[in-house]
């Protein structure tokens, strides 16, 4: 089955261009074969029933050594149990599990998945029991059949959709093969939806569009996703579909233009000694429709893309280099999904090149292995529980096993794990349903990195996510105590929107009193963050009810202590200075390098040598005065502490200051801004040499992210 062309016959290609995949199987013919097989009696034990010959052929193409005996037995049980049942189209019902199994076989599913697919409706619709399936086919097949059975109501029963999808996700989370079977089941139902009433077609198509297509995208099963998109497009937007279909039909030479570019690419790669297979990939109808909306009038190369398949990862970049050297690249179209794979396991290089005649062709470059995963996603990864014991009940050594006894799927994508985490916290099915649809509507995802290097090292978030989302993605409910973050090494408020590749260090309070504010909901984009914040606010109504101040709060001040600071001396010709005092803008203390300037009143103001006021004074033509420290070790200094607001912060800071024997001459706490608080302390130090250690102790107070010497301007005299 082709992932690009839902209707392969619509766009003919040059005969020199190889095409992968097979034509769609005629399901009515399969139904007749199944019926004839049933009336003719069981097939000989040494060969498969004729009705599943297509399945066997497709399966052996991916798994040459597969044992097909179990498929034969599963078909016999499915056919006999469904005998006498018919679909609404009039076909024998066995054609449905056969078609579903064929879809999965063409995607490369392993034997266990195909066996469960043949049997997926038997427990729900026939007299076959789950115990019977377990006895005849093992615990693994029974587990998958049971998982699919639990979500069968998804096709019908709109009122129960939220809770049904919640159960479906739980089942999928334990084994992604359950969702693989479900998606193939929905694809065949969509193919044969024409026998239903228009309003029912529309309802099923909308659910498919809103939930199942995004799930197929996230599971990486592009072959299913693209065909589902076209089928939904035809039902929900029939006029646009017909316009697009006619547009494709009216441009039969499109593949010739792409084929000509493909020949040029093939010649370039052959000359460079790179072994590659160059294919023309016609776009499916929805893709053509989107390109038309984006570009307006379409040219021949817009109806498809080139696919270059190579053997090794390094060859991908070799191909890219040759294409960008021998053709004119469209730099804005370049994307590297090999170095940074997409959230659904997709890897490929994307670029676009302009041929000498001006034709611009999009090119996908990937290895054969990448191509298999790009087409089939998690289906191509095989049995995620291959390390289990033969009875499927106990994992082998090294296979993760959670405390509740459920199996852990090592192929489970990270987004699915997050989805399962927050769905458990959703207070009701409607909240879950709303959050699910919003999450699945996100087309783009970004990756940010932990600044502390902790495993797994990266966080995947939807585009537009903020530091709030990163906090809950990394720390779960512990993020309630988040005070702020450093983004790319710089302090940032929690409202900061993150970009792809950003480095994030989240700062948490050490106490358990801190919690989120209602404003966090304005910055939370992920369901996990929103549900966790809402739950905490509901559990702590006193916090949510406290209004944020609209006017600046009065500053907190401590009266100044007039004790003298360190001894200073100034060397002046003539009259001695009226006073020698440290400047308030930089508050120098021993053993800082200092310089002085004569100011009004005959006093000398002493600055640190690197104070910005020194350059200003020199610019005004003021001559510096030689100053020096006396013998005393005391000193007065002004420090500025930047912190995140939390209960008890002021007490903790003053305690750290007192521990070093420093006296608080004055203190000022400015009103919070975006949860950040600025503290200014003028301190009398018993020994100025201990200033660096004092500043470090203040920085170690939870919530404090920086402590620096004061740099504010106090006037130049």
């Amino acid at each position: 089955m082709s992932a690009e062309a839902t209707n392969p016959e619509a766009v003919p290609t040059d005969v020199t261009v190889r095409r992968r995949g097979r034509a769609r199987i005629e399901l009515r013919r399969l139904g007749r074969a199944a019926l004839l097989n049933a009336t003719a009696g069981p097939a000989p034990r040494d060969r498969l029933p004729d009705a599943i010959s297509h399945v066997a052929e497709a399966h052996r193409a991916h798994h040459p050594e597969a044992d097909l005996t179990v498929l034969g037995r599963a078909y016999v049980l499915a056919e006999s149990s469904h005998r006498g049942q018919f679909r609404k189209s009039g076909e024998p019902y066995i054609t449905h599990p056969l078609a579903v199994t064929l879809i999965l076989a063409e995607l490369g599913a392993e034997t266990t998945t195909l066996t469960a697919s043949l049997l997926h409706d038997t427990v729900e619709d026939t007299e076959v029991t789950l115990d019977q399936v377990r006895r005849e086919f093992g615990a693994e097949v029974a587990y998958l059949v049971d998982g699919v059975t639990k979500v069968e109501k998804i096709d019908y029963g709109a009122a129960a959709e939220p809770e049904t999808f919640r159960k479906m996700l739980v089942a999928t989370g334990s084994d992604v093969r359950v969702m693989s079977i479900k998606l193939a089941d929905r694809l065949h139902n969509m193919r044969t939806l024409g026998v239903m009433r228009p309003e029912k077609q529309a309802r099923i198509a909308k659910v498919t569009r809103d939930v199942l297509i995004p799930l197929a995208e996230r599971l990486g099963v592009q072959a299913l996703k693209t065909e589902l998109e076209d089928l939904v497009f035809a039902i929900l937007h029939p006029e646009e579909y017909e316009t697009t279909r006619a547009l494709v039909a009216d441009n039969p030479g499109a593949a010739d233009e792409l084929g000509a570019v493909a020949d040029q690419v093939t010649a370039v790669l052959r000359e460079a000694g790179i072994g590659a297979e160059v294919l023309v990939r016609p776009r499916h109808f929805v893709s053509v429709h989107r390109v038309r909306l984006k570009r307006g009038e379409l040219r021949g190369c817009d109806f498809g893309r080139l696919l270059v398949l190579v053997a090794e990862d390094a060859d991908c970049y070799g191909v890219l280099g040759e294409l960008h050297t021998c053709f004119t690249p469209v730099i804005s179209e370049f994307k590297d999904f090999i170095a940074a794979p997409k959230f659904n396991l997709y890897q490929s290089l994307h670029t676009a090149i302009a041929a000498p005649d001006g034709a611009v062709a999009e090119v996908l470059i990937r290895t054969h292995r990448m191509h298999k995963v790009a087409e089939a996603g998690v289906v191509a990864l095989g049995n995620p529980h291959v390390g289990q014991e033969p009875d499927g009940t106990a994992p082998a050594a090294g296979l993760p096993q959670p405390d509740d006894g459920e199996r852990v799927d090592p192929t489970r994508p990270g987004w699915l794990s997050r989805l399962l985490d927050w769905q458990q916290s959703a207070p009701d099915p409607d909240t879950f349903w709303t959050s699910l649809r919003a999450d699945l509507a996100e087309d783009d995802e970004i990756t940010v990195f932990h600044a502390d290097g902790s495993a797994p090292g990266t966080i995947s978030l939807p585009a537009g996510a903020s530091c709030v989302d990163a906090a809950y993605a990394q720390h779960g409910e512990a993020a309630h105590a988040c005070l702020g973050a450093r983004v790319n090494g710089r302090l940032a408020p929690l409202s900061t929107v993150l970009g792809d590749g950003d480095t994030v260090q989240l700062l948490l309070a050490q106490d358990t009193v801190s919690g989120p504010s209602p404003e966090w909901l304005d910055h939370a984009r992920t369901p996990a963050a929103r549900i966790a914040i809402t739950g905490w606010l509901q559990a702590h109504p006193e916090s949510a009810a406290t209004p944020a101040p609209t006017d600046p709060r009065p500053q907190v001040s401590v009266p100044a202590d007039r004790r003298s600071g360190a001894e200073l001396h100034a060397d002046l010709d003539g009259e001695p200075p009226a006073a020698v005092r440290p400047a308030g803008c930089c508050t120098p203390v021993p053993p800082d390098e200092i310089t002085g300037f004569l100011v009004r009143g005959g006093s000398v103001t002493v600055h640190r040598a690197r104070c910005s006021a020194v350059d200003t004074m020199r610019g005004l033509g003021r001559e510096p005065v030689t100053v020096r420290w006396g013998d005393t070790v005391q000193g007065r200094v002004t420090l500025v502490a930047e912190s995140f607001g939390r209960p008890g912060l002021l007490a903790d800071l003053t305690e750290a200051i007192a521990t070093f024997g420093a006296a608080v001459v004055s203190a000022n706490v400015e009103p919070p801004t975006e949860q950040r608080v600025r503290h200014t302390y003028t301190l009398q130090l018993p020994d100025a040499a201990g200033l660096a250690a004092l500043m470090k102790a203040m920085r170690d107070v939870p919530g404090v992210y920086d402590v620096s010497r004061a740099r504010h301007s106090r006037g130049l005299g």
Side-chain angles (χ1 to χ4, degrees):
M1 180 173 52
S2 170
E4 293 286 334
T6 300
N7 185 5
E9 297 79 16
V11 186
T13 61
D14 189 272
V15 294
T16 63
V17 178
R18 294 185 55 191
R19 300 187 58 141
R20 302 175 66 85
R22 66 179 74 250
R24 183 179 298 170
I25 301 301
E26 174 55 53
L27 298 177
R28 292 185 183 275
R29 184 168 57 82
L30 276 177
R32 287 194 295 271
L35 188 60
L36 289 172
N37 181 74
T39 57
R45 297 178 62 88
D46 59 344
R47 70 179 180 87
L48 290 173
D50 292 337
I52 61 169
S53 59
H54 295 295
V55 172
E57 180 184 354
H59 188 39
R60 278 285 172 83
H62 294 278
H63 304 277
E65 304 300 324
D67 181 8
L68 303 180
T69 305
V70 66
L71 291 181
R73 292 193 291 111
Y75 169 77
V76 170
L77 177 60
E79 192 281 325
S80 61
S81 60
H82 287 299
R83 189 175 299 167
Q85 297 178 350
F86 295 88
R87 309 191 78 220
K88 292 183 180 295
S89 60
E91 298 168 327
Y93 193 86
I94 189 61
T95 59
H96 173 64
L98 273 175
V100 172
T101 305
L102 180 58
I103 291 170
L104 293 169
E106 290 184 327
L107 291 173
E110 36 75 48
T111 308
T112 302
T113 303
L114 300 185
T115 304
S117 176
L118 283 169
L119 301 170
H120 78 271
D121 278 335
T122 54
V123 175
E124 177 75 12
D125 298 332
T126 74
E127 299 299 323
V128 175
T129 66
L130 194 61
D131 287 338
Q132 181 180 351
V133 173
R134 184 178 292 105
R135 287 195 305 271
E136 296 191 27
F137 300 97
E140 196 74 19
V141 172
Y143 184 89
L144 298 179
V145 172
D146 184 44
V148 178
T149 300
K150 289 177 179 178
V151 298
E152 277 302 297
K153 294 180 182 179
I154 188 173
D155 289 325
Y156 315 101
E161 278 172 359
E163 189 58 32
T164 301
F165 271 105
R166 185 197 290 263
K167 293 177 180 178
M168 177 184 67
L169 284 172
V170 172
T172 300
S174 298
D175 198 316
V176 294
R177 291 174 295 175
V178 173
M179 178 55 71
S180 301
I181 297 173
K182 185 62 191 175
L183 288 172
D185 176 83
R186 173 54 65 96
L187 175 57
H188 182 240
N189 285 333
M190 289 294 296
R191 285 177 177 176
T192 57
L193 208 57
V195 298
M196 294 185 178
R197 300 187 307 275
E199 59 272 18
K200 196 165 190 177
Q201 292 184 38
R203 180 181 65 78
I204 295 176
K206 287 177 181 178
V207 175
T208 303
R209 176 197 63 193
D210 293 343
V211 178
L212 288 177
I213 287 177
L215 280 174
E217 167 75 12
R218 279 156 172 72
L219 290 172
V221 194
Q222 295 296 316
L224 294 180
K225 179 221 172 193
T226 52
E227 187 173 353
L228 284 172
E229 281 184 330
D230 278 356
L231 293 168
V232 168
F233 186 38
I235 294 172
L236 298 183
H237 305 282
E239 294 182 2
E240 290 90 339
Y241 176 83
E242 284 301 322
T243 299
T244 304
R245 188 192 61 78
L247 184 64
V248 172
D250 291 342
N251 287 272
D256 293 336
E257 292 189 37
L258 272 173
V261 179
D263 291 340
Q264 297 176 46
V265 170
T266 300
V268 166
L269 298 181
R270 183 183 299 115
E271 184 176 349
I274 300 176
E277 184 178 3
V278 182
L279 309 174
V280 170
R281 300 267 288 180
R283 294 183 183 273
H284 63 295
F285 290 155
V286 169
S287 181
V288 172
H289 177 67
R290 290 171 179 161
V291 172
R292 184 173 66 87
L293 293 179
K294 178 181 177 181
R295 303 177 184 172
E297 185 177 355
L298 300 183
R299 300 181 59 179
C301 288
D302 293 329
F303 288 89
R305 294 183 288 189
L306 298 183
L307 172 64
V308 181
L309 297 177
V310 294
E312 303 292 338
D313 291 11
D315 293 337
C316 294
Y317 294 97
V319 170
L320 181 70
E322 292 297 327
L323 294 184
H324 283 194
T325 300
C326 299
F327 299 90
T328 302
V330 182
I331 301 301
S332 61
E333 297 292 330
F334 173 68
K335 296 178 182 178
D336 187 346
F337 294 118
I338 295 179
K342 294 181 70 174
F343 58 89
N344 59 4
L345 312 177
Y346 177 87
Q347 288 185 287
S348 187
L349 294 178
H350 289 203
T351 190
I353 56 174
D357 61 356
V360 176
E362 294 183 29
V363 185
L364 310 178
I365 308 168
R366 59 180 73 139
T367 66
H368 291 279
R369 179 190 58 81
M370 293 176 191
H371 180 62
K372 181 178 180 181
V373 175
E375 294 289 280
V378 295
V379 179
L381 299 179
N383 185 350
H385 305 289
V386 70
Q388 291 189 335
E389 297 299 329
D391 61 359
T393 58
L399 189 65
Q401 182 83 350
D403 295 337
D404 59 7
E406 285 195 7
R407 300 171 306 170
V408 173
D409 185 347
T411 67
R412 179 194 295 175
W415 67 265
L416 182 55
S417 296
R418 296 197 307 273
L419 206 65
L420 291 164
D421 289 340
W422 65 254
Q423 69 84 22
Q424 295 177 357
S425 304
D428 56 75
D430 290 334
T431 300
F432 162 76
W433 180 245
T434 303
S435 301
L436 172 66
R437 294 181 66 175
D439 185 73
L440 294 178
E442 299 291 347
D443 293 330
D444 298 321
E445 186 163 294
I446 63 172
T447 299
V448 297
F449 299 88
H450 298 178
D452 55 7
S454 58
T458 61
I459 310 172
S460 295
L461 298 168
S466 68
C467 293
V468 172
D469 300 302
Y472 283 95
Q474 181 176 357
H475 297 292
E477 291 190 357
H480 292 331
C482 192
L483 299 171
R486 287 184 182 272
V487 178
N488 300 325
R490 294 187 175 184
L491 183 73
L494 290 175
S495 59
T496 301
V497 176
L498 299 171
D500 196 29
D502 282 348
T503 299
V504 181
Q505 179 185 4
L506 299 163
L507 309 174
L508 304 182
Q510 300 301 313
D511 61 83
T512 58
V513 179
S514 301
S517 67
E519 289 76 15
W520 286 21
L521 290 172
D522 297 333
H523 313 304
R525 191 178 183 92
T526 59
R530 297 189 63 82
I531 290 173
I533 295 168
T534 302
W536 193 92
L537 293 175
Q538 291 175 347
H540 301 79
E542 69 284 355
S543 299
T546 303
T550 56
D551 298 321
R553 290 185 291 179
Q555 298 182 348
V556 179
S557 299
V558 178
D561 184 343
R562 297 299 180 185
R563 290 177 294 178
S564 61
E567 184 179 354
L568 283 165
H569 301 279
D571 297 330
L572 290 174
D573 295 332
E575 293 293 326
V580 181
R581 62 192 182 204
C585 59
C586 57
T587 57
V589 295
D592 290 342
E593 294 183 20
I594 52 177
T595 187
F597 293 92
L598 192 64
V599 296
R600 287 191 301 265
S603 298
V604 172
T605 301
V606 179
H607 297 263
R608 295 167 63 191
R610 296 184 179 180
C611 178
S612 60
V614 173
D615 294 333
T616 303
M617 296 289 273
R618 291 180 185 275
L620 294 174
R622 301 285 185 90
E623 291 296 326
V625 174
T626 301
V627 291
R628 66 183 186 278
W629 294 110
D631 296 330
T632 59
V633 295
Q634 295 183 1
R636 182 172 294 185
V637 65
T638 299
L639 300 179
V640 177
E642 304 278 355
S643 65
F644 298 104
R646 67 170 179 83
L649 177 62
L650 183 61
D652 292 344
L653 272 171
T654 54
E655 181 180 355
I657 293 170
T659 301
F660 276 78
V664 179
V665 177
S666 66
N668 184 66
V669 181
E670 299 178 11
T673 302
E674 292 185 326
Q675 295 186 313
R676 291 187 288 180
V677 182
R678 181 185 176 94
H679 302 246
T680 303
Y681 298 95
T682 299
L683 306 175
Q684 184 72 28
L685 306 178
D687 185 351
L691 177 60
L694 171 61
M695 294 175 67
K696 181 180 185 302
M698 293 174 67
R699 289 191 189 100
D700 290 340
V701 173
V704 177
Y705 56 82
D706 196 17
V707 176
S708 61
R709 303 275 287 275
R711 296 177 181 175
H712 56 280
S713 175
R714 291 288 185 88
L716 304 176

